[in-house]
């Protein structure tokens, strides 16, 4: 049983774009949190994924690091947070602030 869950998780990760960041709850539909966590750790040990921090992994891109925005979005999914830009970021997103020279 565990082996089929491992394969399903591995297959889902292989279908993700390189650089994708994911957390344990992203695989809730496949297995329980303990099984997913163990599987992600084993995949990390095998070099298929890389651990960013406890419970947060990414599909590595050669010579690159995970994008901070992708990590923030993954943490927001995991914790059911709502990310709201503020300050200059909010102005830029709204198109009211051009990039600085």
């Amino acid at each position: 049983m565990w082996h089929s869950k491992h394969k399903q998780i591995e297959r889902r990760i292989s279908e993700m774009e390189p650089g994708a960041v994911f957390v344990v709850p992203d695989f809730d539909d496949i297995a329980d949190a303990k099984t997913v966590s163990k599987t992600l750790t084993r995949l990390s040990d095998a070099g298929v994924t890389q651990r960013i921090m406890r419970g947060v992994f990414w599909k590595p891109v050669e010579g690159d690091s995970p994008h901070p925005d992708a990590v923030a979005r993954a943490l927001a999914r995991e914790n059911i947070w709502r990310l709201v830009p503020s300050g200059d970021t909010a102005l830029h997103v709204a198109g009211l602030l051009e990039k600085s020279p």
Side-chain angles (χ1 to χ4, degrees), residues 8-85:
Q8 288 177 336
I9 293 167
E10 192 171 6
R11 185 177 317 117
R12 181 171 296 170
I13 292 170
S14 72
E15 293 170 354
M16 291 178 179
E17 293 289 323
V21 178
F22 42 92
V23 290
V24 173
D26 290 338
F27 303 93
D28 278 348
D29 60 317
I30 296 176
D32 63 276
K34 187 175 181 179
T35 301
V36 172
S37 183
K38 285 184 177 183
T39 301
L40 292 176
T41 299
R42 288 181 176 141
L43 291 172
S44 180
D45 292 343
V48 175
T49 65
Q50 285 183 352
R51 182 188 308 265
I52 298 171
M53 57 191 291
R54 185 177 181 167
V56 182
F57 297 82
W58 81 302
K59 186 174 179 180
V61 176
E62 187 72 30
D64 205 358
S65 59
H67 193 280
D69 187 57
V71 176
R73 289 177 189 275
L75 288 170
R77 279 195 314 274
E78 179 179 35
N79 294 292
I80 313 170
W81 293 339
R82 192 170 199 194
L83 299 177
V84 180

